Amino acid sequence: MHIRHAVAGIALAICLVSPTQILAAATPDATLIQRHKFDIHVQPLSSALRELSAQSGVRILFPYDEVAAIRSRRIQGWLSTQDALARLLAGTELTSTPAGAGVIALAAPANRSAARRNPLALQYAQASLPGTGAQAMAMAPAPEPIEDATPIIVTGTRTTNRTVAESLAPIDVLGAKDLETSGKQSVRDLLGTLVPSINVSNNGAGASWAVRTLSLRGLGGDQLLVLVNGKRRHNTATLFINGSVQNGQSPPDLDLIAGNAIQRIEVLRDGASAQYGSDAIAGVVNIILKNDTSGGAALTLGSTADNGGWQGRWQVDKGFALGQDGGYIHLSADGVLQDNTITKSSPITGQFYPTGDPRNANPNRIRAKYGQPQVIGGNLGYDAMMPVGDSLELYSFGTYSKRHAAGWLTYRTPQAANNILEIYPEGYIPRIHVYDEDFQVAGGLRGEVGGGVHFDLSTSYGQDEVKYSQTTSLNPSLGPASPTRFYLGKLRSDEWVSNLDLSKEFDIGLAGPLSVAVGGEYKKNKFVISPGDPVSYINGGYIFPAGGWRGGTFASGIGSQGVIGFTPEGSGSWSRDNWSAYANIEGKIIEGVEFGLAGRHEDYSDFGTTDTGKASLRIEPVRGIAIRGTASTGFRAPTLQQQHYNSSSTIGVVIDGVSQLRPVVALPVDSAAAQALGAVALKPEKSTSFSAGLVLTPLPNFNLTVDAYQIKVKDRILLSGTLSGAAVVNILNANGYAGNFGALIFSNAADTRTRGLDIVATHRANLGGLGNLTSSLSANFNKTIFTHIDPPPTGGSGVSFVARDRQGDLSEGTPRNKFIANFLWETGAFNANLRATRFGKVTQRAALPVLHTADWMSCSAVSATCTSGFADEELKPKTILDLELGHKLAKGVKLSIGANNLLNTYPNKLKPVNQLAGSLYNGYAPYGISGGFYYGRFNLEF
């Protein structure tokens, strides 16, 4: 089958290349393909064309009245003259034609309808030649950079000159100014702040808080594909477990990319599996790295108002020219030091010390340490390119990161059955340490092979290795001989991806050229689990001495408390590979009507083949008013982590109506224990997506987009809630997992449907002497329901894999709606950015009923005042304000102060019955539980 696919791909490539050799045009004017270093800021198109002429030496004839009302975009970097001109003209209806040696003539299409054209002036203007007025223009100080209102996009399209306004599907572009003034300290938080359809998760237990995840349009982080420079980003090795809405996922960790290495971020809010492959069910985040010779440095210092958590972040980046033909390398580095936040906690109820100890009369019940982790880390990045001849480029980019994150887990009281008084007479809080080492390197050759055929041959290798250790813990089954420090083991995830992409534009008599792209991809994944030290998982069989506290009973707890070490039985190495081939066509049928078609075939070594497709249409009957729509199918392959992860943690398990800390094991689906519980082999998710939208650009400084969508996911891959009860415990005991009181299992046990609406409006106003004001209002409305849930497996434990809490996580665990209002005011050397984000209601559903009183206090037996019920938590809608003020002290020197969560807003407090081990605030809050963060930043540009 592989041979057949390869032959078909070669034949398609030959069909694409051969006509270009036959129909190849005459050799283009050498002055047009010569590369120059362009630096053209946003300005009227007429003056931008003059600057292009001055910087390239090419004369440009253009209809002056036609371009007078058009605003150009930013053009920067080493480009050929024809490429720079194509970028300037993208989004307009102007076409260019060689008019002699070193001369280009521009014209508007003669066949466009009267409703879409402005009268052309009879007078033609000519850009000045170097040596006259143009020289003076070139020598004048360059204006301050202005954000491009209609940037060219590279995500969701195979063409090279499509703008945001012309996109066939909704897309957000976050530029340099957005990144600078957002006030956020990580890439993940920045996306969650600026894109209304993206929500972040701050909740997790065990090692899960070290994974930075996000969701797009209500779907999971692993249903969102992340690219860097258009190439697939590898996933984290860690599996997000024991958390909330992102349970069971191993998405790319965006915080392991240096923020100052980023030029812009493009967020495609549309299914794109047919274009990019697995994981793109919800959309695509494409991170574009800096590729110029600029440089800068920044130092940020800040802290929360109430809870510590001071943070220092330094950043430096600089680009350098390589050779005389436009080569470059841009280097970036950032480092972060972040301390724990210790938020206010609730008193820990119950008995603290052994029975008869007088300290039980008035113990110190404030012992918990909930909050953000302590982090020490650094990220490096580079992006490089070297021309090879006139039409080829060698390129490479990469990232490298090291990070140590440490956080406190749940407090164990002195009298607890999982404590040894001789070691911890006051009880203890395990502290988990996560050591990440991550890198990705990509390289390739791209260019034109003749006759207008563009190719890109690339390969990329990424790896994430995570080591775990634990301090201030113990293995109760070892008794007083237990160590307090444990090495828990290691996870590693590898991904190797190679691509060949070919594209060409054909003139077949349509209103515009037909863009055809074909390509193939090979991907290999590997996942490794390495065991921890034996003391982190063995059962020492310790029995409390007779006559003492708990005398004659077994110590409750096998392995290190908090996170139990990876066992040899659960360790191993697994791999798979897959091949894929795609075809993509885009074109303009008539003026104002554009379409796109894409298809992809995937062949996996472990679960077979799948095919996906996508169709897009954009109609613009009147210039400035367009409608667009897409229909697509998608898929997501289960990750190797979801197929093979095996580990235990001590988490809350409801036993006899009361939540207690007990070991719970995550089982691989092919294990005997999982199969006895009813698990079966995982298969890919399949999706069907529809979207329809309206694009309004009535004025050059205003645009509005409204997009509705529906995404159906069949056989959704979900991690169960905690499966517990006597039947589960019996199956675990019989299959080698004695001592565990619950299990977590992946399954394809449900289908979901997500519907929503995205609204984004942006306006740029010139206030004259008061400066410029950029305003944006955006909103997302989103609802997910379950359309099918498999019944509990027969012959197993009789427990549903998609229980009440997991249903709630997906349908109510993220805000039902989200509104963002952002105002950026710039005048002279001063700027102010004010942002208000309103998060809609969030509900945290309980898995099982608990015993509680009328005022939601915990109780121990059913009575007239103690009943059994679900203690759901509702987070009320809240508005978070962010503010940043900046002042340029001198050219290239800027000082800023700001606040994220200016009003120091906290989420709702939990019901008393849910305030387990001192927890107080609801961790489902998308804005976290640590309150406001206040900072100062010093920036240099060089």
Side-chain angles (χ1 to χ4, degrees):
M1 182 173 288
H2 289 167
I3 296 175
R4 185 174 72 252
H5 294 162
V7 171
I10 294 171
L12 185 57
I14 292 173
C15 291
L16 182 67
V17 174
S18 297
T20 67
Q21 306 300 328
I22 298 172
L23 303 175
T27 303
D29 187 347
T31 59
L32 302 184
I33 63 175
Q34 185 176 353
R35 300 168 65 89
H36 302 275
K37 185 178 181 181
F38 289 100
D39 190 5
I40 303 173
H41 294 284
V42 176
Q43 58 191 292
L45 181 57
S46 56
S47 58
L49 290 169
R50 291 190 177 94
E51 284 203 25
L52 186 144
S53 176
Q55 296 177 24
S56 66
V58 172
R59 289 183 294 169
I60 305 173
L61 305 174
F62 58 88
Y64 185 82
D65 286 353
E66 180 72 11
V67 305
I70 302 176
R71 197 161 180 80
S72 76
R73 59 182 41 80
R74 182 75 187 274
I75 305 296
Q76 188 177 35
W78 286 89
L79 299 165
S80 68
T81 301
Q82 61 185 10
D83 286 343
L85 180 61
R87 295 190 181 192
L88 273 183
L89 300 184
T92 73
E93 295 184 324
L94 296 169
T95 59
S96 62
T97 307
V103 182
I104 299 174
L106 306 185
N111 62 338
R112 69 179 182 181
S113 65
R116 297 179 51 82
R117 66 181 297 179
N118 297 320
L120 294 178
L122 298 178
Q123 178 183 2
Y124 277 70
Q126 176 176 308
S128 303
L129 291 173
T132 58
Q135 184 175 6
M137 181 185 298
M139 296 299 292
E144 287 293 325
I146 302 173
E147 199 71 20
D148 190 349
T150 57
I152 294 174
I153 58 173
V154 296
T155 310
T157 179
R158 301 290 178 177
T159 64
T160 59
N161 60 354
R162 188 176 294 280
T163 68
V164 169
E166 297 173 326
S167 175
L168 301 178
I171 190 167
D172 300 300
V173 178
L174 309 180
K177 189 168 294 184
D178 299 307
L179 305 181
E180 177 186 338
T181 60
S182 73
K184 298 301 180 181
Q185 307 303 307
S186 73
V187 176
R188 181 203 72 144
D189 290 339
L190 181 146
L191 287 168
T193 296
L194 300 181
V195 181
S197 55
I198 286 182
N199 284 293
V200 300
S201 171
N202 292 282
N203 190 22
S208 299
W209 45 254
V211 182
R212 311 285 280 178
T213 67
L214 53 83
S215 66
L216 175 64
R217 287 185 162 181
L219 298 182
D222 55 3
Q223 292 166 318
L224 171 65
L225 176 63
V226 175
L227 307 174
V228 176
N229 284 353
K231 309 301 180 184
R232 180 180 287 266
R233 178 75 176 180
H234 65 284
N235 291 357
T236 177
T238 297
L239 187 72
F240 195 80
I241 204 165
N242 306 340
S244 57
V245 295
Q246 303 295 343
N247 250 355
Q249 301 176 21
S250 298
D253 193 333
L254 297 179
D255 288 355
L256 299 181
I257 300 174
N260 61 325
I262 299 172
Q263 181 183 89
R264 71 181 189 277
I265 302 176
E266 299 181 359
V267 181
L268 176 65
R269 293 179 274 119
D270 195 45
S273 293
Q275 295 163 295
Y276 296 105
S278 179
D279 306 342
I281 287 178
V284 178
V285 170
N286 190 8
I287 297 173
I288 311 298
L289 302 180
K290 291 180 179 177
N291 60 1
D292 55 25
T293 56
S294 64
L299 175 64
T300 303
L301 298 173
S303 177
T304 65
D306 309 318
N307 307 303
W310 63 266
Q311 183 178 142
R313 181 179 292 267
W314 64 267
Q315 297 178 317
V316 62
D317 71 281
K318 182 69 176 77
F320 303 91
L322 296 179
Q324 303 298 316
D325 297 322
Y328 67 85
I329 183 169
H330 198 108
L331 306 174
S332 306
D334 80 344
V336 61
L337 297 173
Q338 172 184 288
D339 199 11
N340 286 103
T341 56
I342 306 297
T343 64
K344 185 179 179 181
S345 59
S346 62
I348 298 173
T349 59
Q351 182 176 324
F352 254 59
Y353 299 98
T355 301
D357 193 315
R359 290 176 295 175
N360 278 321
N362 188 27
N364 174 16
R365 296 186 177 276
I366 305 299
R367 302 286 186 117
K369 296 182 179 181
Y370 294 101
Q372 75 181 17
Q374 183 183 69
V375 177
I376 302 174
N379 303 317
L380 302 175
Y382 77 93
D383 187 18
M385 185 275 293
M386 177 67 73
V388 180
D390 293 330
S391 59
L392 300 178
E393 294 177 348
L394 281 171
Y395 66 91
S396 179
F397 60 89
T399 61
Y400 175 80
S401 303
K402 291 197 74 171
R403 180 180 64 193
H404 171 205
W408 300 103
L409 303 181
T410 306
Y411 174 71
R412 278 77 167 162
T413 60
Q415 62 82 37
N418 54 10
N419 181 42
I420 303 298
L421 285 168
E422 292 89 340
I423 301 177
Y424 295 116
E426 290 294 322
Y428 63 102
I429 306 179
R431 186 166 173 82
I432 183 75
H433 298 259
V434 182
Y435 300 87
D436 262 290
E437 185 168 12
D438 183 281
F439 72 89
Q440 182 164 0
V441 177
L445 178 69
R446 63 192 173 206
E448 186 174 324
V449 294
V453 176
H454 294 270
F455 79 96
D456 186 345
L457 177 63
S458 66
T459 191
S460 170
Y461 183 79
Q463 182 184 104
D464 184 53
E465 183 178 270
V466 187
K467 297 179 180 179
Y468 301 93
S469 67
Q470 206 161 224
T471 55
T472 61
S473 181
L474 55 77
N475 182 342
S477 72
L478 295 176
S482 171
T484 59
R485 301 177 63 93
F486 301 88
Y487 172 68
L488 306 178
K490 178 177 70 175
L491 301 177
R492 197 186 82 201
S493 177
D494 301 73
E495 184 168 86
W496 175 38
V497 184
S498 297
N499 297 84
L500 173 61
D501 302 298
L502 301 168
S503 63
K504 177 178 168 54
E505 291 186 345
F506 295 92
D507 186 357
I508 61 173
L510 300 178
L514 183 69
S515 174
V516 179
V518 297
E521 178 180 274
Y522 172 78
K523 178 163 57 117
K524 187 175 182 66
N525 294 93
K526 186 177 182 180
F527 177 57
V528 178
I529 301 178
S530 300
D533 290 336
V535 291
S536 70
Y537 56 80
I538 61 173
N539 182 357
Y542 178 73
I543 299 176
F544 289 102
W549 174 245
R550 298 188 182 277
T553 63
F554 287 97
S556 176
I558 299 170
S560 57
Q561 295 301 285
V563 178
I564 299 171
F566 297 109
T567 65
E569 294 79 12
S571 300
S573 176
W574 303 270
S575 64
R576 74 164 175 227
D577 59 74
N578 75 288
W579 295 84
S580 64
Y582 76 88
N584 189 88
I585 300 174
E586 294 181 45
K588 183 184 294 186
I589 302 173
I590 59 175
E591 283 299 325
V593 179
E594 298 180 73
F595 77 97
L597 295 172
R600 191 179 193 93
H601 175 78
E602 299 262 355
D603 188 344
Y604 281 80
S605 61
D606 54 352
F607 59 76
T609 64
T610 186
D611 298 290
T612 54
K614 182 175 182 177
S616 306
L617 182 67
R618 184 180 187 275
I619 302 175
E620 188 175 8
V622 178
R623 188 164 181 82
I625 302 177
I627 56 176
R628 62 190 178 192
T630 65
S632 65
T633 59
F635 77 100
R636 186 181 74 82
T639 65
L640 292 174
Q641 290 93 317
Q642 291 172 331
Q643 291 175 304
H644 303 289
Y645 186 82
N646 188 357
S647 178
S648 295
S649 301
T650 50
I651 61 176
V653 180
V654 176
I655 301 175
D656 297 328
V658 179
S659 181
Q660 303 179 39
L661 282 176
R662 292 292 185 267
V664 172
V665 60
L667 295 170
V669 293
D670 59 354
S671 66
Q675 292 176 357
L677 289 167
V680 296
L682 295 177
K683 54 187 176 183
E685 297 175 341
K686 298 292 184 69
S687 69
T688 304
S689 301
F690 298 96
S691 71
L694 175 67
V695 182
L696 299 176
T697 53
L699 301 171
N701 58 354
F702 174 77
N703 62 76
L704 169 67
T705 63
V706 182
D707 293 278
Y709 57 89
Q710 175 179 283
I711 308 168
K712 289 185 176 181
V713 182
K714 181 178 175 57
D715 298 324
R716 189 158 178 176
I717 301 170
L718 298 175
L719 181 64
S720 69
T722 302
L723 308 180
S724 60
V728 173
V729 172
N730 290 337
I731 290 175
L732 293 175
N733 289 339
N735 288 275
Y737 290 95
N740 286 277
F741 286 76
L744 304 167
I745 299 175
F746 283 98
S747 72
N748 296 98
D751 303 337
T752 63
R753 186 191 70 202
T754 300
R755 288 177 175 169
L757 183 71
D758 290 328
I759 303 174
V760 180
T762 303
H763 181 259
R764 293 170 172 82
N766 187 335
L767 305 179
L770 296 178
N772 298 297
L773 178 65
T774 302
S775 307
S776 66
L777 298 173
S778 55
N780 172 257
F781 303 87
N782 189 82
K783 183 178 181 179
T784 295
I785 65 171
F786 283 80
T787 58
H788 170 77
I789 299 176
D790 289 350
T794 58
S797 63
V799 180
S800 174
F801 285 175
V802 189
R804 188 176 185 274
D805 57 337
R806 293 300 291 130
Q807 294 177 42
D809 285 346
L810 270 68
S811 61
E812 301 174 280
T814 55
R816 182 63 58 84
N817 52 66
K818 180 179 174 183
F819 301 87
I820 303 174
N822 198 95
F823 304 95
L824 173 61
W825 176 46
E826 300 168 288
T827 177
F830 177 79
N831 75 275
N833 192 79
L834 175 64
R835 180 174 51 253
T837 305
R838 182 189 183 276
F839 297 95
K841 184 178 73 172
V842 174
T843 301
Q844 177 186 356
R845 285 193 195 175
L848 296 171
V850 295
L851 296 172
H852 64 87
T853 63
D855 55 357
W856 294 103
M857 300 295 292
S858 180
C859 51
S860 58
V862 176
S863 65
T865 59
C866 185
T867 60
S868 176
F870 293 101
D872 294 343
E873 296 285 353
E874 182 179 302
L875 272 166
K876 296 179 181 179
K878 290 196 176 181
T879 299
I880 304 299
L881 294 180
D882 301 329
L883 176 67
E884 179 170 299
L885 306 175
H887 185 264
K888 294 181 179 178
L889 306 178
K891 185 175 178 60
V893 182
K894 184 178 180 181
L895 182 65
S896 304
I897 58 172
N900 297 327
N901 192 349
L902 176 67
L903 302 182
N904 199 29
T905 301
Y906 286 86
N908 296 24
K909 292 182 180 179
L910 296 167
K911 295 172 180 175
V913 72
N914 289 328
Q915 293 177 8
L916 304 174
S919 58
L920 181 62
Y921 296 111
N922 194 326
Y924 274 53
Y927 44 89
I929 65 172
S930 296
F933 177 78
Y934 306 87
Y935 64 91
R937 186 175 65 246
F938 182 71
N939 286 85
L940 292 175
E941 295 180 2
F942 45 80

